Amino acid sequence: MSMDLRGTEVLVVGAGIMGAGIVQVAALAGHPVKLFDTRAGAAAQALDKLAATLKSLVDKGRLDAEAARAALARIAPVDSLALARAAGLVVEAIVENLDAKRALFGALEDIVAPGAVLATNTSSISVTAIANGLRHPQRLVGMHFFNPVPLMKLVEVVHGLRTSPDVAAAIFELSRAWGKTPVHARSTPGFIVNRIARPYYAETLALLQEQAATPQVLDACLRAAGFRMGPCELMDLIGHDTNFAVTNSVYAANFADKRYVPSLVQAEMVAGGLLGRKSGRGFYAYGDGADGVPPLPVAVHEAPASARQVTVHGVGPIADHLEHAAVAALAPQGWGPARELGSDWVGLAIDGARLVLTDGRSAQQLAHELGSADVAVFDRPVPHPIAPGTALAYAVAPGAHAAWRTQAGAWLAALGFTPLPLADAPGLVVARTLAMLVNEAADAVLQGVCDEAGADAAMKLGVNYPAGPFEWLKGWSVDGVARVIRALDAEYRGERYRLSPWLRRRAHAA
């Protein structure tokens, strides 16, 4: 039986930032809203702040004055849950504590009607566990908003084991009516976003632990791949205590699965109070004249030395870009590169040296397998077309001749990139991060947490990724992603870099 929650009275419990944001969205959508908080006066204070927020939107021309007035008139702070008996929907936005949430919903069952929907805004606690002990567990559903609620479009509609499909469908449609983009998620640790996002932080933290590069360089590489913020500056913004706590929660909830293992680098920062912006210092310094990520030092690369033969190897958009760039680079000398389409690798052969797009293997491993010292690997450039000056990580095989160590960076610069040298880390930065994001999303789909479209929408709308994991996969290939993860697994020899069965089956079918 379908449910219709449009126009129903909404009770929001919790007058913090998230609760106030939910109140704003519900009231602007036309619902009468009650706001309750256990802290005396907190609900009234939240309403005062909301009035100021709406006035600011009106002053900026982003909200009609009458709409703001009407929305405020629909909101009523209450000092007792009993005053919200008529609510058809309760949205809980209190502290992330299982016992506190269970106690709240248990009390609400004695107040609201049996047909009222109970929704939790939890970001990490099992919806099934919260519903345990309720007389009507089928009416409890996750309605996970993202901060700031009025601006962020995503709502994860989270189904516990006993959530009624009709209740989940009603919240899904209500989220749409509130101007949001809902995605269905099964109640598993981290749901969609907080689960799939773990590798974005984890791979950078692993590279930092290996001293492969500085936070500044790693952030530059991932911003070049289209991310609005690099992982180090993002962790500074979130707060290392918060990010570390979420990682620990996901790790524990997955029974110490090594894929989610917390970082010793971040543990040390939390122990030392280097929490990011909130403490004035994280990976970067804030305040007192410092303002986060300093600009990268400008490296000057000489033009590459004359070459007798340059051949572009491989097929696909990246190989095509390399060919066009090499043609432009060699034009002043009056000749251009050859093209070898039959190669199983992408990159440039420059006389006896090789400049190779990473497939996950280190430059040292490639040099050993090829029997050639002069090998360099470069990271995966993502945007197409690739913008001039795109930051690109690269590494030179440790045994390379001194001339090639200089020439590798010079060639990348001549091809239009901003080369950033790294230690010889397998998969470098972007390729390994994207591969692991895709791998995590593939496991989420395999396990029924979400579908492919839901994963893409969640990551773009919930954390502002430039593309969804399956969109990256479409622009890459199953085999390409699998190669990088298998190379990482071979290098590190652990459970962390195991290939998702979802990807393995498709790689076998290709």
Side-chain angles (χ1 to χ4, degrees):
M1 183 179 68
S2 62
M3 302 175 64
D4 188 351
L5 295 174
R6 289 174 299 178
T8 192
E9 181 175 304
V10 176
L11 167 63
V12 177
V13 182
I17 293 173
M18 294 297 288
I22 295 167
V23 168
Q24 178 178 332
V25 171
L28 285 171
H31 295 261
V33 183
K34 299 286 198 309
L35 175 60
F36 173 80
D37 196 289
T38 55
R39 298 167 295 159
Q45 290 172 8
L47 182 56
D48 289 341
K49 291 180 181 178
L50 180 54
T53 297
L54 295 180
K55 182 180 183 303
S56 175
L57 292 174
V58 171
D59 292 343
K60 293 175 182 177
R62 293 164 57 185
L63 181 64
D64 178 76
E66 178 54 30
R69 185 205 62 76
L72 283 171
R74 296 186 191 105
I75 305 168
V78 294
D79 56 12
S80 169
L81 290 174
L83 296 175
R85 292 183 181 277
L89 168 65
V90 179
V91 183
E92 165 271 311
I94 65 171
V95 63
E96 280 288 272
N97 178 279
L98 175 60
D99 291 338
K101 292 181 190 294
R102 277 180 173 168
L104 171 64
F105 285 118
L108 284 166
E109 278 205 306
D110 293 327
I111 296 171
V112 298
V117 172
L118 306 179
T120 172
N121 184 51
T122 182
S123 60
S124 60
I125 299 174
S126 164
V127 171
T128 302
I130 295 172
N132 186 17
L134 295 182
R135 295 193 299 274
H136 305 289
Q138 69 278 3
R139 63 171 167 168
L140 183 77
V141 63
M143 192 178 190
H144 180 212
F145 293 87
F146 289 76
N147 191 32
V149 174
L151 298 180
M152 299 298 283
K153 290 294 185 182
L154 181 67
V155 173
E156 290 180 322
V157 180
V158 187
H159 310 227
L161 282 179
R162 301 186 69 180
T163 302
S164 162
D166 287 339
V167 167
I171 291 296
F172 191 92
E173 292 306 319
L174 182 67
S175 299
R176 277 182 171 168
W178 288 5
K180 303 300 182 184
T181 301
V183 293
H184 285 294
R186 192 163 62 85
S187 183
T188 56
F191 309 145
I192 304 173
V193 172
N194 281 328
R195 171 185 177 157
I196 295 177
R198 298 337 296 164
Y200 188 63
Y201 314 109
E203 293 310 307
T204 281
L205 289 166
L207 288 166
L208 288 171
Q209 188 163 336
E210 294 179 14
Q211 304 181 76
T214 64
Q216 186 182 4
V217 167
L218 297 172
D219 279 350
C221 290
L222 285 155
R223 282 198 307 271
F227 292 91
R228 293 187 184 182
M229 299 181 75
C232 294
E233 57 183 324
L234 182 55
M235 285 184 278
D236 273 4
L237 177 65
I238 294 168
H240 289 278
D241 51 345
T242 300
N243 188 266
F244 188 59
V246 172
T247 302
N248 275 283
S249 173
V250 172
Y251 179 61
N254 281 283
F255 304 110
D257 186 333
K258 290 294 190 290
R259 182 176 290 174
Y260 310 107
V261 66
S263 164
L264 291 173
V265 170
Q266 194 167 48
E268 185 75 358
M269 293 180 73
V270 172
L274 304 177
L275 306 182
R277 288 181 181 271
K278 67 174 72 175
S279 68
R281 181 79 195 186
F283 287 117
Y284 306 108
Y286 304 90
D288 296 329
D291 191 23
V293 187
L296 283 169
V298 178
V300 178
H301 293 274
E302 297 179 1
S306 296
R308 294 183 301 275
Q309 184 176 7
V310 177
T311 305
V312 178
H313 288 255
V315 296
I318 295 175
D320 292 343
H321 175 83
L322 293 176
E323 181 179 23
H324 294 317
V327 167
L330 294 170
Q333 301 177 32
W335 64 289
R339 182 73 185 262
E340 175 53 65
L341 299 174
S343 299
D344 62 354
W345 60 282
V346 172
L348 271 67
I350 303 163
D351 292 337
R354 287 200 189 189
L355 192 57
V356 182
L357 173 66
T358 182
D359 64 358
R361 291 176 290 178
S362 66
Q364 183 176 34
Q365 182 180 349
L366 274 171
H368 174 74
E369 293 176 3
L370 294 170
S372 172
D374 291 341
V375 173
V377 295
F378 62 93
D379 211 348
R380 184 173 183 81
V382 175
H384 298 298
I386 298 165
T390 294
L392 193 71
Y394 75 101
V396 182
H401 295 98
W404 177 240
R405 300 190 71 80
T406 301
Q407 285 294 297
W411 269 101
L412 287 171
L415 294 171
F417 297 103
T418 298
L420 300 177
L422 259 71
D424 190 18
L428 299 182
V429 185
V430 173
R432 70 189 277 171
T433 299
L434 295 189
M436 288 300 287
L437 287 167
V438 169
N439 198 49
E440 194 60 50
D443 259 4
V445 170
L446 177 72
Q447 296 164 14
V449 177
C450 59
D451 59 18
E452 294 171 41
D456 283 345
M459 302 316 292
K460 289 189 291 184
L461 297 174
V463 279
N464 290 318
Y465 280 8
F470 293 98
E471 292 173 339
W472 281 316
L473 180 61
K474 185 177 180 181
W476 196 345
S477 70
V478 170
D479 184 60
V481 171
R483 281 188 183 188
V484 169
I485 295 172
R486 285 173 172 146
L488 291 167
D489 187 45
E491 178 77 16
Y492 292 105
R493 301 292 184 182
E495 300 172 35
R496 175 170 174 156
Y497 297 105
R498 64 182 185 273
L499 185 66
S500 168
W502 190 96
L503 287 169
R504 187 183 303 116
R505 293 164 192 168
R506 281 155 181 78
H508 290 162

